[in-house]
Each structure stands twice: as C-alpha cells, then as structure tokens.
Amino acid sequence: MSSESESHDDGSSASPHILLFPFMAKGHTIPTIHLALLFLRHGAKVTFLTTPANRAFISESLSNTTANIVDLPFPKVPGIPDGVESTDKLPSRSLLLPFLASTPLMQADFERVLKALPTISFMVTGMFLGWTLDSASKFGIPRLSFGGWNVFTTVIYDHLVLKRPRLLLETKSDEVFEHPNFPSIKLTTNHFETHLVCSQFIVDQLDATSKSCGTIVNSCSEFEPTFLEFWNKDCKPKAWCLGPLCLAEPLPRKLISQEEQPWMKWLDTKKETAVLYVAFGSQTEVTKEQSEEIKIGLENSGVNFLWVVRNNEELDEGFEERVKGRGIVVKDWVDQRRILGHESVKGFMSHCGWNSVTESICAKVPILAWPMGADQPLNAIMVVDEIKVGLMVETCDGSMRGFVKGEGLERTVRELMEGEMGKTVRKRVEEVGESAMKAVEEGGSSWINMSELIRQTHVTKDTFMNHDVARI
C-alpha cells in the first residue's frame, strides 16, 4: 500500500502527525480507533488521547501499532461515581448532560499535552468536545470535528439547530415539517430527543464544528451522494467521507476464543437456516413492558434468533425453554462484527446506531430498524428510505419511537426473514455492501479522500486553517 510519508509538494519527507481525541463514549471511541488504524495505514504518526479508565480498551485496540497513547485526567462530576469515564458506564441516562458539560474542565490538561507533543499536523476531536477548537486556535493547529454521524444527520441537525433553532420547540408532536432542500423527507419532533438537541450545549458543539477546518464522516459517497454533494456545496465545514470506518479492521478482533463463545458455536449449528440477530446497543434501556412484547414477537414468529440483552434485563426461564433449539439469549459482551459476519445470520433487528448500521451493511445483512433515541431515527430513515437496505418495525401509533406490540413485531420479523420485501432489501444490501468495501480499498472514494486530507494538511497548515481547501 502507498504511504503518504514518501513525498510531499513542500519537499518534506516527514510523516504527518495526527492527534485523535474522541468523546468518551464507545460509539465515538470505536470508530476513532478505526480512524487511527486508517491514518497509520496511510503513513501518518498518530497520538491518541484518552482518560485513565478508558486506556486499557484503547491500548488493547491499538496494540501492535505505533500509535502513541496519552492519558488526560477526567474531572470529578457531582453524581457520577469515580472511575466512570465513558457514557456506557453511566448509572443513569439522566447524567448524560452533566457528563457532557464536564469535559471543558479537561482543557488545561489538554493544552499542556499539546505544548509537550511534537508538531501536530492536525487534530481530530469529538464533536461533543467543541472547546478543543479554542485550544487548537491558540496553538495554530487545524481542528476537524468527528461526531460519528452520517452526512444526512449532519445536514438535518445543522438546519434545525443552527439555522432554525425554534422549530423543534414550537412544532406540535404530530406536525410534519421538511428540510427546504429535501422536501420528500418528512420529519416530526418524534425523530428527535428535543430536550437534548435543543440544549445550549449541543448548539455550542455544532457551532464549533461549523467553525472548524472540516468534519470527518463515518460514511462513503456511495451511501449518500446527494446529501454529500449538497453539504459540500452549500454548508460548512467541508465533510470528509472516510468510511465505513469499521472496515479498517478486515477481520473482527478475537478477544475471546471461539471455543469459549457458546453463541458462536450455536450459530455454527444453524448454517443451513437463517438467523435473526437482535441487539440494541450497550446504552439502550428497554422497558420491561417492551421486553415482554419482544419475547412474544420473537416466539410467535417461528424464526431462529440470537438476542443480546443487557445484564440487568430479566427474562423468565420459561421463555428460553420454549424457544430452545431455535433461539438463544446472550447477556455477555459479544463481538458484533463476528456475529454479523457469520454465514447463518441473515437479518439484524437493530436500534440503528450508526456504527451498527455500517457494520451490518458491510456484512451484507439487511436491517429491521427499531430506533430508540439520539440520532437513531434519522439513521433509520437512511436505512429504509434512502439506502434501502432494511425495513421499519411496526409501532402502535405509527410514530418513529412508538411502542411495538408483539403481533406487529412478529409480522415485520417474518417479512424481513421470509417475505418479498425482505428479499428485495437483502439483494440491495449485497450491492451496497460491496460498494462500501470498494470505497475503503486503495483507489476507492474514501481512500482517495483520506490521501487528499493528509496531503492538504501536511503541505500547508495556513491554507487549511483558512478553510481554503479543494472540494472533493
């Protein structure tokens, strides 16, 4: 593979030095790790900032690489136990905003690190770490933002939060509104966690992104060409599509041997059948009432399934006994990419976190979209209406985040796994998955973007700081 350190227009042969600092959440940290692997593959030097409690995960993920890992102390936050330094460890989702709002307390330590490090070509910091823009400006370092979102979500949030800040607060829950440039996309307040999206904190982070030198997107032009073209023509800063980032690791890391994973052994026994993988991420809280309906839908559907639940979710023993042989419930950590890559897995019932969506597409597995919060409803629109690689669950009131009854779930599960619409999206995800893999290969769209990003920032920081970069 080519190396960006070989030659540069300014005559320099030194490798560019890139600083990565993700927001402390697994959904942000994991794709940033993948980003680090891609930068290293392109010949760059990488320094990765984290906190003491998160270091072990980062170190394990970047073992056998030349990445330099540096710790920043995490501030003490009222209500958050000591040692909780990632959102997936928060005892309650109500502590999310206090957690978010505490990160500016890290700025002094962040700047001490900047002062001590060798020359930094540019930094990529989490979108929710908007205060790093001020530090970057002090040290004359280009800052790019990374939120882990797709371009479509970036377009919608930019319009609603920065350009029409009162719309979500003043619109009735059942009232439909549109983006002026994309009238076919119908939105309601049910697509958003309004209290969070409209908070001053989020406004400030999006504003910092708009003033940064660029934003990195975990997507590729093949996924969303229309939204990418619109953004890079009419909005700022430039969006660099470098994904799907999960493909930075050709094969999932085997943290646990397959012999110790009974669910992988179980999947091996289902090679002649189709299995539905069911998982809603590490932070989604499913109510007891909703969990009961999931059991009804899965049991009555007759399909084979592997359901990953949180450790604190209670399932009656009778359920597991009744579905024994065709269904398995897992309460341990699982390597999702390994499961999605198993030949027996033919569908994924997902909350539509963007990392899960990209992993499913790259494994060529169609999605049964069940968004539950954050940017997930917008991702579900991408899955079902834009990329067309999945179906939507059936809610009682027809809203994006409504309650799902067992009989409705049974219908959509059967349709995805056995119906004509399921066949259509299965064929489509094969095509899109293939294009995603080509995007990150040498000569693909994301590969070219990565090469160009490194080249431009390494040639002249001043030009990049002035945002005077070519639009790809």
Side-chain angles (χ1 to χ4, degrees):
M1 292 182 179
S2 62
S3 170
E4 295 303 316
S5 63
E6 292 174 1
S7 63
H8 300 281
D9 291 351
D10 64 351
S12 170
S13 60
S15 298
H17 178 203
I18 302 167
L19 179 78
L20 300 178
F21 183 19
F23 174 63
M24 288 69 72
K26 286 294 191 293
H28 294 245
T29 299
I30 291 172
T32 307
I33 290 170
H34 293 152
L35 190 60
L37 295 174
L38 289 173
F39 280 134
L40 290 166
R41 194 174 298 166
H42 279 254
K45 296 176 181 177
V46 169
T47 294
F48 199 111
L49 299 193
T50 185
T51 65
N54 294 313
R55 184 184 179 93
F57 179 77
I58 306 300
S59 297
E60 185 174 39
S61 302
L62 293 177
S63 62
N64 303 317
T65 76
T66 58
N68 176 36
I69 303 171
V70 178
D71 288 354
L72 292 178
F74 190 79
K76 290 188 177 296
V77 184
I80 297 179
D82 289 344
V84 174
E85 299 175 6
S86 183
T87 59
D88 57 299
K89 303 294 184 183
L90 289 173
S92 169
R93 188 168 171 77
S94 64
L95 293 171
L96 179 58
L97 268 178
F99 185 94
L100 288 162
S102 71
T103 63
L105 298 174
M106 305 172 74
Q107 186 165 2
D109 289 310
F110 178 67
E111 292 182 1
R112 276 194 285 273
V113 169
L114 294 183
K115 190 177 295 185
L117 285 172
T119 301
I120 298 168
S121 304
F122 64 94
M123 67 171 71
V124 179
T125 62
M127 190 203 76
F128 293 144
L129 304 176
W131 52 268
T132 59
L133 175 63
D134 179 52
S135 300
S137 299
K138 285 182 187 178
F139 287 81
I141 302 170
R143 184 249 181 176
L144 288 90
S145 172
F146 179 51
W149 289 341
N150 49 53
V151 182
F152 170 63
T153 297
T154 306
V155 167
I156 298 300
Y157 274 36
D158 177 77
H159 174 69
L160 290 176
V161 178
L162 293 185
K163 296 183 173 69
R164 300 189 65 186
R166 302 298 304 174
L167 181 62
L168 285 177
L169 295 174
E170 296 173 354
T171 301
K172 297 177 181 177
S173 61
D174 59 348
E175 187 176 345
V176 176
F177 55 92
E178 306 162 352
H179 188 288
N181 297 88
F182 303 102
S184 64
I185 297 171
K186 309 300 181 184
L187 300 170
T188 71
T189 56
N190 280 320
H191 289 87
F192 307 91
E193 291 186 285
T194 305
H195 71 286
L196 183 61
V197 172
C198 296
S199 68
Q200 188 59 47
F201 178 86
I202 296 299
V203 173
D204 291 344
Q205 308 318 299
L206 293 178
D207 185 56
T209 291
S210 73
K211 295 173 181 174
S212 296
C213 297
T215 183
I216 288 178
V217 185
N218 184 10
S219 187
C220 58
S221 59
E222 288 79 0
F223 281 4
E224 41 186 342
T226 302
F227 299 113
L228 180 61
E229 181 182 9
F230 166 77
W231 179 269
N232 278 343
K233 180 182 178 183
D234 296 341
C235 305
K236 63 180 183 179
K238 175 173 179 175
W240 297 85
C241 283
L242 306 182
L245 297 176
C246 63
L247 293 176
E249 291 183 295
L251 294 173
R253 290 177 295 113
K254 296 183 179 180
L255 302 181
I256 309 171
S257 68
Q258 185 159 337
E259 289 71 26
E260 296 174 331
Q261 296 179 326
W263 51 91
M264 296 303 297
K265 283 186 172 183
W266 182 85
L267 286 174
D268 285 341
T269 69
K270 300 295 179 182
K271 290 181 179 179
E272 302 302 316
T273 60
V275 175
L276 175 70
Y277 171 51
V278 182
F280 303 114
S282 59
Q283 293 182 242
T284 302
E285 297 177 356
V286 179
T287 66
K288 189 175 186 302
E289 293 76 16
Q290 187 61 87
S291 185
E292 288 296 320
E293 297 299 327
I294 295 173
K295 289 192 295 184
I296 292 170
L298 290 176
E299 183 174 351
N300 293 342
S301 70
V303 305
N304 295 279
F305 65 88
L306 188 161
W307 181 12
V308 178
V309 301
R310 290 163 62 106
N311 285 327
N312 59 356
E313 286 186 51
E314 295 295 330
L315 297 177
D316 63 87
E317 294 180 4
F319 171 73
E320 294 188 63
E321 186 60 34
R322 291 192 302 274
V323 299
K324 190 174 182 179
R326 68 173 181 87
I328 183 173
V329 177
V330 179
K331 289 190 176 183
D332 295 314
W333 180 90
V334 301
D335 190 329
Q336 181 162 284
R337 285 193 67 206
R338 286 192 71 203
I339 290 175
L340 288 169
H342 196 281
E343 60 188 294
S344 68
V345 175
K346 303 299 183 183
F348 180 17
M349 186 193 298
S350 171
H351 65 311
C352 287
W354 188 242
N355 289 330
S356 291
V357 169
T358 58
E359 287 173 1
S360 196
I361 292 174
C362 292
K364 302 177 183 177
V365 174
I367 298 167
L368 183 56
W370 189 346
M372 298 186 181
D375 59 328
Q376 297 157 22
L378 298 182
N379 296 338
I381 291 175
M382 283 293 292
V383 165
V384 177
D385 298 328
E386 298 300 320
I387 311 180
K388 301 183 188 300
V389 292
L391 308 177
M392 192 76 72
V393 293
E394 182 182 311
T395 60
C396 291
D397 60 4
S399 70
M400 182 65 76
R401 291 189 290 160
F403 192 78
V404 176
K405 293 286 287 184
E407 55 265 32
L409 188 61
E410 175 188 345
R411 280 192 292 271
T412 50
V413 164
R414 283 181 173 171
E415 186 58 48
L416 180 74
M417 302 300 287
E418 303 167 356
E420 289 302 314
M421 288 191 292
K423 291 177 183 177
T424 299
V425 296
R426 185 163 289 106
K427 180 181 178 183
R428 171 65 178 162
V429 80
E430 286 277 346
E431 299 168 354
V432 179
E434 192 64 31
S435 68
M437 288 189 285
K438 289 179 180 178
V440 299
E441 292 175 354
E442 189 165 359
S445 62
S446 294
W447 178 278
I448 291 171
N449 284 346
M450 172 76 78
S451 300
E452 185 63 15
L453 171 62
I454 292 174
R455 187 194 69 80
Q456 289 191 9
T457 53
H458 199 50
V459 168
T460 167
K461 263 198 229 178
D462 291 339
T463 299
F464 201 77
M465 290 287 284
N466 291 329
H467 301 198
D468 185 21
V469 294
R471 295 273 172 174
I472 293 178

